[in-house]
Amino acid sequence: MRIFLDTADIDEIREVARWGILSGVTTNPTLMSKTSGKSHEAVIEEIASIVDGPISAETVSLEADGMLEEGRRFAKWHPNVVVKVPSTPAGWEAVSRFKKEGIRCNVTLCFSANQALFAALAGAYIISPFVGRLDDISEDGMQVVRDTVEIYRQHKLETLVLAASIRHPLHIIDAAKAGADIATVPFKVLEAAAKHPLTDKGLDLFLKDWQKFQASLKEAVPA
Ligand code: E4P
């Protein structure tokens, strides 16, 4: 399973890119609203200059024609741009039209396996089931990921399953076990998943013991 960052924050992207585990980035209007002073185009181009992988840029039109107009513009910014459209009939229409133009789509705001099936039939490159937002309303968000993976395998559909709306480190493990191709993870969750108290404790002990060893060498009287 590949890891994408779910952010438009350039510092976060630079940091995780250094870890050597980052394969792409997803953005959305909410994440873009947290950036300041730069245009949508400038932010996406800067991300693309850091990460060599799919960068999702989201449309805001509700009609297919508007999504097409926005997405064609986004696709000119960088070859790695993937156009995000919603899980609606207009979104699937846009996906099928984008496909004929060779523009890849990430179908977002997916909350059911039926929506995931329709996105794949329309020709989506990526489907994004939202795990956390379903958990928030007492539904099992990861079950949509499991069902989607099963349906795509059963029917040999090539759309990539991207587990989105990831809220905690266990979601990453569960998405990987469910067979998701990608998990898009907020920086804070990735940071929490990267840490383990026993790693920090072990490092501390090794460093102290190494210092003791060095000190003992200095104190040793030559024979
Ligand atoms: C990803 O593409 C989505 O925009 C994102 O994961 C949504 O996450 P949220 O539910 O935490 O806003």
Side-chain angles (χ1 to χ4, degrees), residues 65-143:
D65 284 342
M67 293 174 204
L68 267 287
E69 186 276 313
E70 288 183 72
R72 286 179 188 132
R73 199 159 33 82
F74 300 171
K76 286 188 189 131
W77 296 342
H78 195 280
N80 284 343
V81 167
V82 173
V83 178
K84 244 174 155 186
V85 299
S87 291
T88 59
W92 303 318
E93 178 187 338
V95 168
S96 68
R97 291 169 61 187
F98 275 129
K99 193 164 171 77
K100 290 181 192 131
E101 300 179 19
I103 293 175
R104 297 178 299 173
C105 289
N106 172 355
V107 179
T108 190
L109 290 168
C110 170
F111 294 97
S112 76
N114 273 329
Q115 289 178 321
L117 173 61
F118 300 160
L121 295 175
Y125 173 59
I126 291 172
I127 182 69
S128 292
F130 274 39
V131 175
R133 292 193 198 185
L134 280 168
D135 289 359
D136 289 346
I137 58 160
S138 306
E139 287 192 32
D140 182 358
M142 201 56 74
Q143 192 56 43

Side-chain angles (χ1 to χ4, degrees), residues 109-175:
L109 290 168
C110 170
F111 294 97
S112 76
N114 273 329
Q115 289 178 321
L117 173 61
F118 300 160
L121 295 175
Y125 173 59
I126 291 172
I127 182 69
S128 292
F130 274 39
V131 175
R133 292 193 198 185
L134 280 168
D135 289 359
D136 289 346
I137 58 160
S138 306
E139 287 192 32
D140 182 358
M142 201 56 74
Q143 192 56 43
V144 178
V145 175
R146 287 185 211 104
D147 289 345
T148 301
V149 168
E150 187 181 337
I151 290 166
Y152 284 8
R153 280 199 189 138
Q154 181 82 15
H155 297 280
K156 300 188 173 36
L157 295 164
E158 288 177 355
T159 303
L160 300 173
V161 180
L162 178 152
S165 190
I166 295 289
R167 296 282 165 76
H168 51 73
L170 266 183
H171 271 158
I172 305 174
I173 295 172
D174 287 341

Side-chain angles (χ1 to χ4, degrees), residues 3-6 21-26 47 51-55 184:
I3 296 289
F4 285 13
L5 253 188
D6 198 21
I21 65 161
L22 189 59
S23 300
V25 172
T26 51
I47 296 172
V51 184
D52 185 18
I55 315 294
T184 191

Side-chain angles (χ1 to χ4, degrees), residues 198-208:
L198 289 180
T199 304
D200 295 340
K201 195 175 164 191
L203 269 177
D204 194 47
L205 182 66
F206 282 157
L207 284 177
K208 282 187 181 132

Side-chain angles (χ1 to χ4, degrees), residues 11-69:
D11 292 337
E12 293 179 353
I13 294 166
R14 279 194 203 288
E15 157 122 28
V16 179
R18 279 198 294 270
W19 300 0
I21 65 161
L22 189 59
S23 300
V25 172
T26 51
T27 66
N28 64 34
T30 305
L31 296 170
M32 287 305 307
S33 74
K34 293 178 185 163
T35 65
S36 56
K38 288 184 211 153
S39 67
H40 193 186
E41 178 176 358
V43 173
I44 297 294
E45 281 177 350
E46 193 164 3
I47 296 172
S49 74
I50 302 165
V51 184
D52 185 18
I55 315 294
S56 290
E58 188 156 346
T59 58
V60 291
S61 301
L62 298 180
E63 302 304 327
D65 284 342
M67 293 174 204
L68 267 287
E69 186 276 313

